[in-house]
Amino acid sequence: MSDTFTVGLGSTLILPAVGDVSLVGVLRSELQDYLARRLGQNLRDAVVRARAYVRLSIDGAVARPGFYGVPADALLSDALMAAGGPTPEAQLGKLRIERAGRPIWEGRALQQAIAAGKTIDDAGLIAGDQYVLPRRGRTTPGDVLRFGGFLLTIPVTIYTLTRIF
């Protein structure tokens, strides 16, 4: 039996011919050894290769934004590469990782974690966390309004000056 299996609700792995295998309390780093012991109870000469993946959202200035299954032992930078890497307008210094819309890694701490070679697991990332890589030169509606307000002051100033003199 060779395939990719997804851990379901309640940390349960459903395997054909074996049934439900509870993974409650099993760390990602212990997954392969645990499954080898557990499957050894049901199968003769079981050879187990297991690798935990974490589903992450990679958004912003990357070549292919979207959701990616990234190995838990992959480097933090590998998640960006899974999405095709940063685009030329990416602001790498403003990269952040969010959970439920709130930053959990950002700024200097994130840059140091990447430089130190931290993995997805080391950083404590879980399914649903989101990498956000802002773009340079993005115009916001506020920028447009401020610029429009500035342009409007020019004719008003000229009109005022012609009335004064």
Side-chain angles (χ1 to χ4, degrees):
M1 161 172 60
S2 178
D3 205 344
T4 301
F5 300 98
T6 303
V7 176
L9 295 174
S11 297
T12 301
L13 186 62
I14 302 170
L15 299 174
V18 175
D20 293 359
V21 177
S22 175
L23 299 176
V24 174
V26 178
L27 300 175
R28 291 179 192 146
S29 59
E30 302 169 343
L31 182 62
Q32 185 163 313
D33 292 338
Y34 175 79
L35 286 175
R37 282 192 313 275
R38 176 64 177 80
L39 295 178
Q41 296 171 358
N42 298 49
L43 304 171
R44 222 173 335 141
D45 302 323
V47 176
V48 177
R49 289 188 195 98
R51 191 167 192 193
Y53 283 79
V54 180
R55 187 171 169 84
L56 300 171
S57 169
I58 316 295
D59 196 23
V62 291
R64 294 181 309 275
F67 288 91
Y68 292 89
V70 181
D73 59 353
L75 300 175
L76 286 170
S77 58
D78 290 347
L80 285 176
M81 298 315 293
T87 61
E89 67 268 7
Q91 289 185 303
L92 287 170
K94 293 188 177 181
L95 173 67
R96 66 186 181 278
I97 302 174
E98 298 178 348
R99 180 173 296 150
R102 295 206 166 112
I104 57 172
W105 283 95
E106 63 183 333
R108 190 158 193 72
L110 179 54
Q111 298 301 323
Q112 288 174 341
I114 291 170
K118 279 195 181 273
T119 65
I120 301 292
D121 239 358
D122 294 337
L125 300 188
I126 60 173
D129 287 348
Q130 179 179 28
Y131 277 66
V132 179
L133 184 55
R135 288 176 164 67
R136 261 182 247 152
R138 204 78 212 282
T139 303
T140 65
D143 295 336
V144 173
L145 288 174
R146 276 189 292 281
F147 185 67
F150 170 73
L151 287 179
L152 186 60
T153 62
I154 294 171
V156 171
T157 303
I158 292 171
Y159 177 78
T160 305
L161 288 174
T162 58
R163 292 292 174 197
I164 293 175
F165 297 109

